[in-house]
Amino acid sequence: MIKLDRLVAVLSGHGARLAGARQVRDVELRSVAVYDPASPGPTVGDAFLAIGVSSLADAVRLAVDARASVVLARVEPGQRSEPPAEVQEGSPHVLLLDPHASWSQVAGVVYGLVLEGRETESGRGPSDLFALADTLATAVGGPVTIEDPRSRVMAYSGPQQDADPARLDTILGRRVPDWVRALFDERGVFTHLATSDEPLYIPAAPEHGLRGRTVAAVRAGKEPLGSVWVTCDAPLDAARTRILTESAHTVAQHLLRSRVSADLERQVESELVIQLLEGTPDASAVLAKLGLAPKTLRVLALQAHTAGESNAAILLAFERATTGFGWTRPGRSTLFGNTIYTLLPCDDDLAPARGWLADIGKAMPGHVTLVAGIGAPATASDIPASRQEADESLALHSTRPATAAVSYDEAWDEILLQRLRTAAAAGRLPSRGPVAELARHDDRHNTPYLATLRAWLEAQGDLNTAAARLEVHPNTIRYRLRRMHQLCQLRLNDPRERLAMLVALAIREQPLDT
């Protein structure tokens, strides 16, 4: 964890100095508080920023109320700069800032060091909620979990020897089991968390293998960010309740800071992914910036709809796709228009792509419908082609959303025909030729010549196969072919004309009937 002497060393470059000569090396800083004159009670934090406080004496008094280890105060021109009498053993350390120091810059440094640069004993990385859970568990004397608003586990304390089955299932499954959520909902726990900051004790339920718990809401203003849970067999006393409440505020700071970091990461990631989707001569270098090995990738295109509105759930799906720091996720994603594009390391085996889509689907509410397309495998330079294939597969899946996601590998023939239809729609179909002339004759005389021609061509000239498809006698096929020869120039012995007629029929999608 960050020590006060590290903070002093960094801020000395901004003209800060420590008042007094007390030992600071072993003072640990875990949280930050800012003076808020509108707050009804003291704001709690290890490092207290006395922004807008007029005197050092007031700054120290407020820091004492905040149970801070150090107070940062700016010495205005003409103000006494010697250590105030309040700086004595047991009171907060005072870090005096230069009169010209920018509070915004100082706050950025303090928040960055305390909340993001922590060197934790658990070694589990920056903004370490796990270390915070360990610390809180030690302070309150019970196992701790930190959960998001959807009851998914974000962090938990270490020792699990006293954990009940529900807690073990929660940690192993990374979310609270449905039966536990249903029990808590029945007891009004989630209603309390939505409306109150006061910790709530939940009595044990031995019949469900559930020990008692105390939970406190984590929120930023009115926005719920999650909750902190402590396993305990009786309500916490006043001191431990206060520690839990203060810890919930500290968790909120961490989550807000992590959200900003995640948003910045998403922005950088999105811009790099878009470069690859649109094509760039430095594709290999961009892949390296994204932390992806120069291996075969696929582009996945995803949209999320609700019954009442198309693309209504796309932002939620994007959050699910980009949850966690990049190195913990297999793919890299961007939200482009109303579509999420994900670059996923994946070769000829479609299982990783379908598995990724299944994971996104499980994380979405039940009323959300996902449609998705999977492009063919591609090297770095071929990613734009895989993106086009993913778009076309997505368009095909949108016509049949109840089926599995469409992959280009499995539906290339349908996609090719759709490309031909698109090209034909953009130009002009021939108004003359056998297919056009037979189509007009069918429309005027209700004849089945176009369907017969298609059946014969797809059967490669086998009369029996064509007759079986149309459920008529082979002689009927012979008769119709003779009539078609009389109506138009039908050169069935020319392979190029046979291919052209098949393409024209596919574009028209003439149904097979008799």
Side-chain angles (χ1 to χ4, degrees), residues 126-187:
S127 296
D128 194 351
L129 285 177
F130 285 90
L132 183 58
D134 288 339
T135 302
L136 177 58
T138 301
V140 299
V144 170
T145 56
I146 300 173
E147 301 170 9
D148 71 6
R150 293 173 58 84
S151 297
R152 294 177 302 185
V153 177
M154 294 185 287
Y156 54 87
S157 58
Q160 305 298 326
Q161 57 266 29
D162 296 328
D164 56 31
R167 175 177 165 81
L168 292 176
D169 289 345
T170 297
I171 292 173
L172 291 174
R174 302 296 292 173
R175 65 173 297 153
V176 177
D178 290 340
W179 67 269
V180 178
R181 278 186 57 87
L183 178 63
F184 289 163
D185 192 27
E186 182 182 332
R187 293 187 175 187

Side-chain angles (χ1 to χ4, degrees), residues 45-64:
D46 294 334
F48 183 78
L49 306 183
I51 300 176
V53 180
S54 58
S55 70
L56 288 179
D58 290 339
V60 171
R61 177 181 55 78
L62 290 168
V64 171

Side-chain angles (χ1 to χ4, degrees), residues 13 43 51 107 184 226 285 304 307 384 412 463 512:
T43 305
I51 300 176
F184 289 163
W412 68 269
L463 290 173
L512 286 174

Side-chain angles (χ1 to χ4, degrees), residues 355-371:
W356 185 88
L357 291 171
D359 290 340
I360 296 296
K362 292 176 184 176
M364 299 295 290
H367 66 282
V368 173
T369 299
L370 299 181
V371 291

